[in-house]
Amino acid sequence: MTFETLSVFPEVFEPYLGVSVLGRARRAGVFDFVAHDLRDWTHDRHRTVDDAPFGGGQGMLMKPEPIFEAVEAISSSGERPHVVFFSPCGRRFDQRCAERLARERRVLLVCGRYEGMDERCYALADEVLSLGDYVLTGGELAALTVIDAVARLLPGALGDEMSAVDESFSPSGLLEYAQYTRPASFRGMGVPEVLLSGDHARVAAWRRESAIERTARWRPDLLDAADITDEERARALELARERERGTL
């Protein structure tokens, strides 16, 4: 798989994508990455990518000409990429979206800046995503977030192929169970006895219950779509009610 970004700050990606899990996966050939500089598609001495909005208003908007030229040029080279733009108007990015994008062979992430883009630019997008109801200085952090979430789902990225399966939101829709490491006792707080028992069946059952309890406590909104039994759902709803009453 190949990730590509289009940005006025292409240098910001390499430090993050060159280290830790993503750095190892990239060096192992699990995925490729290319950062494109939007200014390469400008035609004036100042390499201008922004201009004042029609009708007045604060700030500057990204011009359509460089973005259209860039996306079209990049798309014409090799297999056409799946083109992603970012906007508060976009679909909320989540784990299911990451899983879907992981099936693409080539993804181009277009990063906005300033007060946003000329609205006509969105005609180039296959989809528009949003990380949440807040405003970032630019789309580079959003692009890195998408790359991180998607790349770790690719075969070979994590080494242990079950690592991604056990994480929050995959595949059960629940938050991940609570986890502990040494020491077994820390400042009066102990590790649940079952985790020290060596009984794998009991540990698995405890982890399932822990995942349901944590979801009910922290993200009860996830319970409706979670892959749980009727009995587990009833227990989860009771935990959610206890949380609302302040007794959990």
Side-chain angles (χ1 to χ4, degrees):
M1 180 176 188
T2 300
F3 296 102
E4 298 176 62
T5 55
L6 179 63
S7 167
V8 293
F9 295 108
E11 67 275 12
V12 305
F13 298 99
E14 193 60 43
Y16 188 82
L17 296 178
V19 299
S20 189
V21 170
L22 296 186
R24 291 192 298 271
R26 187 176 166 199
R27 289 189 291 273
V30 173
F31 71 90
D32 293 321
F33 173 73
V34 180
H36 300 281
D37 188 343
L38 179 63
R39 296 187 192 277
D40 289 343
W41 284 274
T42 58
H43 304 286
D44 66 298
R45 60 182 294 189
H46 300 295
R47 307 180 79 197
T48 305
V49 297
D50 61 318
D51 206 338
F54 284 120
Q58 297 296 318
M60 305 287 279
L61 286 178
M62 298 186 75
K63 294 161 56 68
E65 300 100 312
I67 294 175
F68 268 81
E69 288 189 30
V71 172
E72 289 169 352
I74 294 168
S75 298
S76 67
S77 176
E79 181 177 352
R80 185 189 180 281
H82 182 79
V83 180
V84 177
F85 279 58
F86 297 100
S87 168
C89 303
R91 170 187 173 180
R92 181 73 64 89
F93 180 67
D94 58 18
Q95 189 68 18
R96 287 180 173 79
C97 184
E99 292 167 358
R100 176 172 51 77
L101 288 175
R103 295 192 289 271
E104 298 287 343
R105 292 174 58 85
R106 187 183 182 197
V107 175
L108 173 62
L109 304 161
V110 181
C111 305
R113 277 272 160 176
Y114 315 116
E115 288 299 308
M117 297 181 181
D118 182 296
E119 186 69 17
R120 291 167 289 189
C121 295
Y122 293 103
L124 295 165
D126 291 309
E127 67 177 310
V128 181
L129 297 177
S130 170
L131 294 192
D133 298 335
Y134 49 86
V135 178
L136 296 173
T137 302
E140 290 80 12
L141 282 176
L144 278 170
T145 299
V146 170
I147 293 172
D148 192 318
V150 175
R152 62 189 295 110
L153 298 175
L154 301 176
L158 299 182
D160 179 359
E161 296 302 325
M162 292 304 293
S163 294
V165 174
D166 280 342
E167 290 178 333
S168 294
F169 312 113
S170 292
S172 66
L174 298 170
L175 296 182
E176 192 174 14
Y177 48 79
Q179 299 191 71
Y180 302 83
T181 187
R182 295 180 179 82
S185 178
F186 178 71
R187 296 190 178 184
M189 295 178 286
V191 174
E193 179 276 332
V194 63
L195 299 181
L196 307 176
S197 68
D199 187 327
H200 298 301
R202 288 181 60 207
V203 168
W206 181 90
R207 285 177 170 172
R208 177 76 174 179
E209 183 176 350
S210 173
I212 293 171
E213 180 178 344
R214 294 178 87 232
T215 304
R217 175 179 297 180
W218 302 114
R219 290 291 305 277
D221 57 295
L222 297 175
L223 293 174
D224 286 343
D227 183 15
I228 54 180
T229 66
D230 291 342
E231 183 179 351
E232 289 173 330
R233 190 175 303 279
R235 173 58 177 157
L237 292 174
E238 177 58 31
L239 290 170
R241 285 191 289 269
E242 290 179 15
R243 180 180 183 275
E244 292 177 357
R245 294 193 296 266
T247 58
L248 182 62

